[in-house]
Amino acid sequence: MRVVLVSGGVISGIGKGIIASSAGLLLKTAGLKVTAIKIDPYLNVDAGTLGPLEHGECFVLADGGESDLDLGNYERYLGIQLTRDNNITTGKIYQSVIERERRGDYLGKTVQVVPHITDAIQEWITRVAKIPVDNSGQEPDVCIIELGGTVGDIESAPFVEALVQLRHRLAREPDSSFFNIHVSYVPLINGEEKTKPTQHAIKQMRSVGMVPDLIACRCDNSLADSTVRKIASSCQVDYDQVICVHDMETIYQVPMLLHEQGLLDLLRRGIELDRVSISDDLATKGNTLWNQWKKTVNLPKEHGAVEIALVGKYTNFMDSYLSVQKALEHAAMHCDRKLKLIAVDSEHLEPKAQAAEPEKFDAAWAAVKKAQGIIIPGGFGSRGTEGMVICANWARENQKPFLGICLGMQVATIEVARNLCSIGNATSEEFDEKANGTQPNHAIVFMPEGSKEQLGGTMRLGSRATLFQAGSEWSKLRALYGGAAEVHERHRHRYEVNPDLIGEFEKAGMSFIGKDETGQRMEAFELRGHPYYVGLQAHPEFTSKVTQCSPPFLGLIASSVGILDEVIKEAQENKEQINGVGKPADF
């Protein structure tokens, strides 16, 4: 077992996930099979009940697991498919230990943090690190572990102790190793690069038994050589054990930055990669992956930028839409464009905002009208949804390229119900606080298998099939999927289009081109004759990769810059390389 632990100090949110993903990518380019685990010290069992404005996006895995957004980074960078067990939380660990205690598994012993909690953590890591995460079906060679928060946080203490114990254990086992990358922050104050925060962070780290094998210094600009030498001497590491991770034009250039500073060579020595058997086939694939990555990321954007308006309700914290942003970036790079994303608070589009905050109202509508394309992503609750409905109406009537995802599809359906089906008070059961059941004006209804009382893990989650319907051969969306009859994308919702109103919607020109395997649940719609007006119940952003972008997002970007026909032709010629086509596995 070979482990690369990425921990952090000084402050949280300094890019541990990107550095962990980049390290994994470099290992993969060397022909190694890599998996990843994210440790979140919070008591929640998973991220499903965490608000996006507090914790950012909830990333949905193929098995339906609701996880931390860093698992999205791992999948995007490494092209792997993780499970809910790849996200460890304090809630999960304590839940499993308490369940064992209730069954009597501990034979009357006093259950304590050490050894029972720490043992459970190590057992979890050891088990998950061996699970295949790619099409090879083989056990991974290396496990990247990211420890959330900062070392010294009271809630992460059991995990730190467990990882220290794991390091000692692996040191005694043959063909096993442990390498700790500690990410620290070097602030620039009055023109001076301050090393003291990093010195204290390493001191704190060593005091709990952790040993840094590499210090990754996050900073605004490249550090002076004297600063690097000072950190090395003050923290008892060699000069080449300190690397600089300064801000880049795009996070996808971080792997190249780390490679230039010799990270792969340090890892090769640190976890004894020369003793790992690598087939010529894997080595070739790793080299191909690296070349594709560099070509995509460094592609000159000769055609300028594409401006997309993201109309949402969580725009005060854009990490709430992280995967959506990344999917748009991937699609823009594919179209040789830079992405210019304009965040628009949907509440500012509503008539009440015109009276209360006219400046914000005018600015929001100016952004929407100026944009080349519009996307309305997912969300929960009624706040801001009237602005989304009005925006969907404007995009439909003004022939503006539009993509609605989950809630975005639902508000577009409500808009059609109101303005084309003469259901003037059409709404969603989710937005109707007085509703005790489905009403005639509910264009969107609660799913029968859902729960309104138990919120965690009760939605329709994970990879699900969408079957394109007979007669949908004209569909631009279907063509972007290479003309496939069936595709698989990930879901996260508890409300759906009212099946009793489908006939009325379709008479009004709304074509439900994709349905689930029963034919009763609406998965995708498209307006025929519109440049690009698509709604999806799924979240295709979760499967988008740097070198393999999501078809619906690619359609939005390509339509926005006027090259949709070219992109569709390309999709027809490369059917086997399209995300979501075929089986649920999306690596």
Side-chain angles (χ1 to χ4, degrees):
M1 183 177 178
R2 288 171 169 80
V3 169
V4 176
L5 170 66
V6 179
S7 56
V10 183
I11 58 174
S12 60
I14 54 175
K16 294 191 300 295
I18 300 302
I19 292 172
S21 301
S22 299
L25 176 64
L26 292 178
L27 290 169
K28 199 161 184 182
T29 64
L32 296 165
K33 298 179 289 296
V34 182
T35 187
I37 293 173
K38 173 66 188 297
I39 294 175
D40 285 303
Y42 49 68
L43 276 168
N44 305 66
V45 173
D46 58 36
T49 57
L50 291 171
L53 290 175
E54 178 173 333
H55 197 74
E57 161 190 275
C58 172
F59 188 80
V60 179
L61 300 161
D63 69 351
E66 297 173 284
S67 70
D68 182 82
L69 56 80
D70 276 313
L71 273 77
N73 286 325
Y74 307 153
E75 290 199 345
R76 281 188 286 269
Y77 276 67
L78 305 179
I80 56 179
Q81 182 170 281
L82 303 174
T83 71
R84 64 184 75 229
D85 285 349
N86 290 85
N87 192 188
I88 305 176
T89 67
T90 298
K92 285 181 179 179
I93 295 296
Y94 274 81
Q95 186 179 61
S96 68
V97 170
I98 290 171
E99 287 173 354
R100 292 184 196 179
E101 186 275 330
R102 292 290 83 188
R103 289 196 305 265
D105 292 0
Y106 297 114
L107 300 176
K109 292 184 179 297
T110 302
V111 180
Q112 297 176 292
V113 173
V114 180
H116 301 100
I117 294 296
T118 53
D119 283 353
I121 293 168
Q122 293 179 72
E123 289 167 9
W124 195 301
I125 290 172
T126 303
R127 172 177 58 85
V128 175
K130 297 178 181 179
I131 298 174
V133 290
D134 59 26
N135 282 328
S136 72
Q138 298 176 352
E139 184 177 314
D141 299 307
V142 182
C143 179
I144 307 287
I145 301 175
E146 180 189 346
L147 176 61
T150 57
V151 173
D153 294 344
I154 191 169
E155 59 265 28
S156 65
F159 292 103
V160 170
E161 177 63 27
L163 290 165
V164 170
Q165 292 180 16
L166 180 62
R167 179 169 193 148
H168 289 309
R169 195 188 88 202
L170 293 181
R172 298 190 298 270
E173 294 182 1
D175 293 325
S176 296
S177 52
F178 192 105
F179 191 92
N180 191 174
I181 301 173
H182 193 70
V183 186
S184 185
Y185 179 59
V186 180
L188 183 68
I189 301 177
N190 295 326
E192 182 181 356
E193 296 166 350
K194 295 292 186 179
T195 65
K196 197 65 73 176
T198 297
Q199 294 180 45
H200 284 297
I202 299 300
K203 181 180 179 181
Q204 171 77 37
M205 181 184 182
R206 291 184 183 277
S207 71
V208 295
M210 297 180 73
V211 180
D213 298 293
L214 178 72
I215 301 174
C217 298
R218 282 286 291 113
C219 46
D220 297 333
N221 301 294
S222 183
L223 295 178
D225 185 69
S226 58
T227 302
V228 174
R229 292 189 180 279
K230 184 176 181 180
I231 290 172
S233 62
S234 301
C235 299
Q236 299 85 50
V237 297
D238 293 335
Y239 174 77
D240 66 353
Q241 289 178 277
V242 181
I243 61 175
C244 169
V245 190
H246 56 77
D247 292 347
M248 303 290 287
E249 183 179 0
T250 167
I251 60 171
Y252 303 120
Q253 294 174 343
V254 173
M256 279 90 83
L257 176 65
L258 298 179
H259 187 265
E260 290 169 1
Q261 298 182 73
L263 177 58
L264 186 56
D265 290 334
L266 287 166
L267 291 171
R268 197 185 301 277
R269 297 196 304 268
I271 55 178
E272 301 175 335
L273 296 182
D274 292 336
R275 300 172 65 180
V276 180
S277 176
I278 302 173
S279 70
D280 291 338
D281 180 54
L282 282 174
T284 301
K285 286 182 178 178
N287 188 53
T288 301
L289 170 65
W290 186 237
N291 289 334
Q292 288 179 338
W293 184 280
K294 290 192 293 184
K295 180 181 177 182
T296 303
V297 171
N298 290 330
L299 189 68
K301 310 300 184 291
E302 298 173 354
H303 297 97
V306 53
E307 191 166 314
I308 301 295
L310 186 153
V311 180
K313 59 198 302 183
Y314 311 125
T315 53
N316 287 337
F317 186 44
M318 286 301 287
D319 269 5
S320 304
Y321 302 115
L322 187 65
S323 288
V324 171
Q325 294 178 72
K326 300 311 173 190
L328 288 169
E329 285 180 9
H330 303 161
M333 287 190 289
H334 187 95
C335 295
D336 191 22
R337 299 302 199 281
K338 288 185 178 180
L339 175 67
K340 184 177 181 182
L341 187 63
I342 308 299
V344 178
D345 188 328
S346 57
E347 284 192 281
H348 296 161
L349 299 175
E350 297 176 352
K352 63 182 181 182
Q354 187 173 17
E357 300 176 294
E359 291 183 1
K360 291 182 178 180
F361 176 85
D362 292 340
W365 273 110
V368 167
K369 293 176 180 179
K370 180 185 175 186
Q372 293 164 267
I374 297 170
I375 183 168
I376 300 182
F380 296 92
S382 61
R383 181 180 62 83
T385 53
E386 282 303 309
M388 296 179 188
V389 172
I390 298 168
C391 181
N393 170 258
W394 187 89
R396 178 177 62 80
E397 293 185 343
N398 289 275
Q399 301 290 292
K400 183 76 72 173
F402 171 90
L403 177 61
I405 297 172
C406 198
L407 177 62
M409 172 182 172
Q410 294 174 6
V411 296
T413 302
I414 292 170
E415 188 277 319
V416 168
R418 290 181 184 177
N419 299 306
L420 298 182
C421 298
S422 300
I423 307 174
N425 60 347
T427 187
S428 167
E429 188 177 347
E430 181 181 9
F431 310 154
D432 190 352
E433 297 178 358
K434 299 179 181 179
N436 294 317
T438 302
Q439 305 295 323
N441 67 324
H442 286 170
I444 308 298
V445 297
F446 187 73
M447 293 189 302
E449 69 267 40
S451 172
K452 294 182 180 179
E453 289 74 34
Q454 187 77 21
L455 298 183
T458 59
M459 287 183 274
R460 185 168 178 256
L461 294 162
S463 186
R464 307 278 180 155
T466 295
L467 279 63
F468 284 108
Q469 302 298 293
S472 65
E473 289 75 16
W474 57 269
S475 164
K476 298 182 180 73
L477 177 64
R478 183 172 181 177
L480 288 162
Y481 277 107
E486 179 178 337
V487 298
H488 292 259
E489 296 287 5
R490 300 179 190 180
H491 291 65
R492 186 177 187 244
H493 64 114
R494 54 168 54 92
Y495 291 87
E496 63 179 345
V497 177
N498 188 343
D500 295 335
L501 297 178
I502 299 304
E504 290 187 51
F505 294 151
E506 292 192 328
K507 286 179 184 177
M510 195 177 195
S511 300
F512 286 96
I513 55 172
K515 301 181 181 181
D516 73 347
E517 59 276 3
T518 69
Q520 300 301 307
R521 181 163 281 148
M522 303 303 111
E523 289 285 354
F525 80 78
E526 185 171 343
L527 295 187
R528 196 166 189 170
H530 193 285
Y532 190 79
Y533 197 98
V534 169
L536 294 151
Q537 188 58 74
H539 289 266
E541 66 269 24
F542 291 139
T543 58
S544 184
K545 308 289 190 297
V546 174
T547 57
Q548 192 181 19
C549 58
S550 167
F553 285 85
L554 180 57
L556 175 65
I557 297 294
S559 177
S560 298
V561 298
I563 60 170
L564 184 56
D565 290 341
E566 298 172 34
V567 167
I568 287 175
K569 183 179 178 182
E570 181 186 356
Q572 298 292 331
E573 296 170 352
N574 300 282
K575 297 178 183 180
E576 71 282 353
Q577 300 176 17
I578 297 176
N579 265 355
V581 175
K583 300 298 180 182
D586 40 39
F587 35 69

